[in-house]
Amino acid sequence: MTKGLIFDLDGVIVDTANYHYIAWKKLSNEIGIDFDKEFNHLLKGISRIESLELILSHGNKSDVYSADEKKSLTETKNKYYLELLNNITPKDILPGVLDLIEQANNNHIPCAIASASENAPTILEKLGIKHYFKAIVDPKTLKKGKPDPEIFLRAAEFIHIPPHLCIGFEDSIAGIQSIKQAGMYAIGVTADGPLPEADLAVHSLTEIDIHSLF
Ligand code: B16
Ligand code: MG
């Protein structure tokens, strides 16, 4: 019987991938690198600095910048991203999410957030749903990012539920691997592409029957 729900944010609760894309593209173009939407898929679920490293490698500029310069580039990208996030409202919550977290709360099933995004608390505030989550893992406190299970294990610890009684929701391949390695049941949200390693794949959370989970 399920006792806890652990959600990724970008791509599961809200579709911010396009904002990340616009912000990274602006920053990349300023340093003479271009990439398309297909390349952008590779940036899903991975951290800000790992995203920059992939972009630099794509543009054959891996060795051009010092660590300090890279940090400054990620800060500039985040500034562009935060400007775009100003447009976000509760209308941007993806279909089925609100119903699921409301019902979980009504049934005393704790919910947590396991997102690689350092902006997760800000985004949840803007969506007006932060209060539904008992815990939000701070990715800065982790030793390893997805696909390592650490982020989902930490979320389970915060809500005091053993991992095998948790369900994880993810839209990225690295995220599904993280959930499976944590020993949880993995539900893949496949709006953007297949997730073969998921235990159950859905196009959106409207397909989740809350009663079949509890
Ligand atoms: P930030 P998720 C991830 O969120 C995004 O999918 C990924 O594209 C982004 O690089 C990462 O967050 C870090 O985001 O720059 O806001 O800290 O899918 O794990 O919720
Ligand atoms: Mg995601």
Side-chain angles (χ1 to χ4, degrees):
M1 192 184 171
T2 303
K3 302 271 187 187
L5 303 182
I6 304 178
F7 295 84
D8 173 52
L9 180 65
D10 293 339
V12 170
I13 288 180
V14 62
D15 185 10
T16 43
N18 199 41
Y19 292 145
H20 279 296
Y21 174 58
I22 296 168
W24 275 127
K25 208 170 160 69
K26 186 172 177 191
L27 184 274
S28 302
N29 288 173
E30 284 167 4
I31 57 170
I33 298 175
D34 201 19
F35 64 88
D36 56 16
K37 276 215 155 177
E38 204 174 312
F39 179 84
N40 190 56
H41 286 316
L42 300 176
L43 310 180
K44 284 173 65 176
I46 64 169
S47 73
R48 211 177 290 173
I49 189 69
E50 286 170 322
S51 301
L52 177 68
E53 297 287 5
L54 271 187
I55 290 168
L56 292 177
S57 157
H58 176 73
N60 293 317
K61 292 192 187 228
S62 288
D63 303 324
V64 174
Y65 300 99
S66 69
D68 280 353
E69 286 168 335
K70 285 179 186 173
K71 188 162 186 290
S72 157
L73 289 172
T74 59
E75 282 164 5
T76 304
K77 181 267 172 177
N78 197 50
K79 189 175 97 67
Y80 298 153
Y81 180 59
L82 288 175
E83 282 163 15
L84 293 163
L85 283 185
N86 281 331
N87 302 328
I88 278 195
T89 73
K91 284 196 192 121
D92 292 298
I93 299 171
L94 286 171
V97 172
L98 200 53
D99 196 34
L100 184 58
I101 56 180
E102 265 175 1
Q103 293 207 47
N105 274 230
N106 291 342
N107 287 278
H108 309 289
I109 304 283
C111 296
I113 294 287
S115 165
S117 175
E118 293 173 32
N119 296 301
T122 310
I123 295 171
L124 291 167
E125 292 263 21
K126 281 184 185 291
L127 296 175
I129 55 173
K130 193 161 170 249
H131 60 283
Y132 286 107
F133 299 94
K134 267 197 133 165
I136 301 170
V137 178
D138 178 355
K140 289 205 295 296
T141 64
L142 302 171
K143 288 196 190 77
K144 289 185 178 174
K146 301 167 189 176
D148 191 275
E150 187 181 9
I151 190 165
F152 279 92
L153 290 173
R154 184 78 63 84
E157 207 178 294
F158 283 160
I159 57 174
H160 307 293
I161 305 291
H164 72 280
L165 295 178
C166 291
I167 294 181
F169 297 82
E170 259 289 351
D171 70 314
S172 71
I173 292 168
I176 294 288
Q177 289 168 345
S178 175
I179 296 171
K180 290 310 299 169
Q181 287 192 63
M184 300 176 185
Y185 186 82
I187 297 186
V189 182
T190 61
D192 240 7
L195 294 167
E197 292 177 49
D199 294 304
L200 175 70
V202 295
H203 190 70
S204 94
L205 294 191
T206 52
E207 293 166 46
I208 302 292
D209 173 12
I210 187 106
H211 301 293
S212 70
L213 299 181
F214 304 146

